[in-house]
Amino acid sequence: QLQLVESGGGLVQPGGSLRVSCAASGFTLDRYAIGWFRQAPGEEREGVSCINISGITKYVDSVKGRFTISRDNAKNTVYLQMNSLKPEDTAVYYCAASNVGGTLLASLYHTWGQGTQVTVSS
């Protein structure tokens, strides 16, 4: 069974940092591109960042310079390090796996985690 499980969400103050994790089971993460997406209530799901099997990364403009995606193949886990967090970063964050690299299009991802809540508030 292919599964992705997010963890590490929580409440953080503006300007703070948080690292969310995406742990894979049933498959090795390095065989797929992994994306991070987020969705706030009443809003569409937004592609945040992705990493392909070669380690090439992509970010939505609003998080460039603040977020970093990385992969630890030994731990079968992908991370999203979020720094300088803003209230508008508040959302449920999802990770997903795709057979297509270099994309932030949600429709191209076939396996999704359950999401982890990130709230940025003072």
Side-chain angles (χ1 to χ4, degrees):
Q1 183 180 10
L2 276 60
Q3 287 187 318
L4 296 172
V5 178
E6 301 95 335
S7 63
L11 176 64
V12 63
Q13 295 182 346
S17 297
L18 203 63
R19 187 182 72 168
V20 290
S21 302
C22 175
S25 63
F27 63 98
T28 53
L29 212 51
D30 61 0
R31 296 170 57 192
Y32 301 91
I34 302 297
W36 281 99
F37 299 80
R38 64 187 181 186
Q39 188 167 24
E43 299 183 11
E44 294 185 353
R45 187 166 298 185
E46 176 188 35
V48 177
S49 182
C50 62
I51 183 168
N52 71 9
I53 60 175
S54 298
I56 305 300
T57 59
K58 185 177 182 179
Y59 301 90
V60 68
D61 286 344
S62 61
V63 309
K64 287 181 179 177
R66 300 189 297 120
F67 291 11
T68 303
I69 190 171
S70 62
R71 180 173 59 208
D72 187 334
N73 290 335
K75 296 181 179 179
N76 215 26
T77 300
V78 169
Y79 304 96
L80 184 67
Q81 178 68 45
M82 301 181 289
N83 299 326
S84 301
L85 282 162
K86 304 174 181 179
E88 51 262 44
D89 295 317
T90 296
V92 177
Y93 282 71
Y94 301 88
C95 67
S98 175
N99 294 106
V100 180
T103 180
L104 292 175
L105 294 174
S107 62
L108 296 179
Y109 288 77
H110 54 75
T111 302
W112 292 79
Q114 82 289 345
T116 185
Q117 177 71 48
V118 173
T119 302
V120 184
S121 176
S122 60

